[in-house]
Amino acid sequence: MENLHDKRKIYAKSQLIESEIKQNPLEQFRDWFLDASEDPSVSEANAMAISTVEEDGCPRTRMVLLKAYTHEGFIFYTNYDSKKGKAIERSHKACLHFFWPSLERQIIIKAELEKVAGNLSDGYFHSRPKGSQLGAAASPQSQVVPDRAFLEEKLKQLEKEYEGNEVPRPANWGGYLAKPYEIEFWQGRPNRLHDRIVYQLEGFDWKISRLAP
Ligand SMILES: Cc1cc2nc3c(=O)[nH]c(=O)nc-3n(C[C@H](O)[C@H](O)[C@H](O)COP(=O)(O)O)c2cc1C
């Protein structure tokens, strides 16, 4: 057995206390996201894990990139027919998770999801490099494919088809807006007495509570 019992870290970078936090969690997110974006040891501040519940009741987690956040919530882009797309179609819910180790911070977001307007997805799709646009069009995300050559062949065909022309956004590719109804901010503290502040939406107001670590 490879035991990791002695692998432990002291958390002492910062604190999260009621008198200093924002009353709106999206504003608190903004503060923390800016800190993470400015920290040179965080390589992709906008990488987040997203968990959805599968048909067998088991959650499934994978990384995606946050591409925008607004006063309403968090936007990312994917294939609507992917495993996550199908799970979102069923439950309209997901859990997003950020962990920025160098800041000793995590954020857990429970959200209701909806597709963003087509013109927003078009705008983002066409802002990506042409190779990424073609890659998205070539990949039946989450489907079993015979081999890698199948995908490369498909990409080659599409490169030829759209040479000198704009690649249309595939109808099954676009953005989701995750509208939070619960957001927990976790700040590592000494002696495992970490700070956990949770915001829960009650009507139009955010109720703020502290959770034991
Ligand atoms: C850092 C990172 C960022 C990623 N960003 C995205 C993304 O923005 N959109 C996406 O569809 N997949 C992204 N992926 C791939 C997903 O993790 C996943 O493999 C893919 O979306 C298929 O997931 P699913 O079959 O569970 O739906 C990313 C992977 C990593 C490691």
Side-chain angles (χ1 to χ4, degrees), residues 2-207:
E2 201 63 51
N3 97 47
L4 309 170
H5 297 185
D6 293 331
K7 246 179 130 38
R8 53 173 71 88
K9 190 176 157 187
I10 294 168
Y11 298 104
K13 283 254 161 86
S14 191
Q15 62 177 13
L16 187 62
I17 51 174
E18 286 79 347
S19 57
E20 291 174 4
I21 58 172
K22 295 284 197 304
Q23 295 307 298
N24 183 308
L26 289 148
E27 288 175 26
Q28 185 65 35
F29 177 85
R30 184 170 184 274
D31 285 358
W32 275 24
F33 187 74
L34 293 178
D35 288 345
S37 307
E38 285 162 12
D39 185 334
S41 58
V42 178
S43 70
E44 278 188 298
N46 62 330
M48 60 183 187
I50 170 168
S51 301
T52 50
V53 177
E54 300 283 286
E55 269 177 310
D56 64 0
C58 185
R60 190 184 146 80
T61 304
R62 75 294 272 164
M63 303 299 292
V64 294
L65 295 177
L66 177 69
K67 284 292 163 184
Y69 58 94
T70 70
H71 65 281
E72 279 195 297
F74 307 90
I75 295 174
F76 64 94
Y77 291 88
T78 193
N79 185 306
Y80 291 140
D81 294 329
S82 63
K83 280 179 194 274
K84 74 182 95 44
K86 289 188 173 142
I88 293 166
E89 200 59 45
R90 284 191 297 270
S91 71
H92 304 283
K93 286 198 170 92
C95 183
L96 311 178
H97 181 253
F98 292 86
F99 175 43
W100 299 306
S102 57
L103 297 169
E104 302 171 352
R105 286 174 174 173
Q106 79 172 334
I107 305 177
I108 301 170
I109 300 164
K110 288 170 74 176
E112 301 263 1
L113 276 77
E114 58 190 49
K115 288 179 183 168
V116 303
N119 60 350
L120 201 65
S121 292
D122 286 339
Y124 174 61
F125 185 78
H126 290 118
S127 76
R128 303 173 85 204
K130 193 167 184 185
S132 307
Q133 297 179 31
L134 291 166
S139 168
Q141 194 176 60
S142 314
Q143 303 294 311
V144 173
V145 291
D147 49 25
R148 185 169 175 89
F150 169 89
L151 294 170
E152 285 173 356
E153 193 46 47
K154 204 146 172 234
L155 181 63
K156 238 191 257 162
Q157 276 171 18
L158 291 171
E159 276 169 355
K160 227 188 257 164
E161 193 176 333
Y162 293 111
E163 203 179 337
N165 292 314
E166 190 176 83
V167 184
R169 173 176 63 88
N172 65 353
W173 190 98
Y176 282 108
L177 168 66
K179 294 161 95 167
Y181 58 91
E182 183 181 298
I183 308 190
E184 181 193 322
F185 294 84
W186 182 100
Q187 176 73 61
R189 297 294 305 274
N191 302 318
R192 299 309 188 245
L193 278 190
H194 310 303
D195 286 329
R196 296 178 65 189
I197 297 288
V198 63
Y199 296 72
Q200 286 163 309
L201 194 58
E202 290 192 347
F204 293 105
D205 296 323
W206 289 99
K207 184 181 124 204

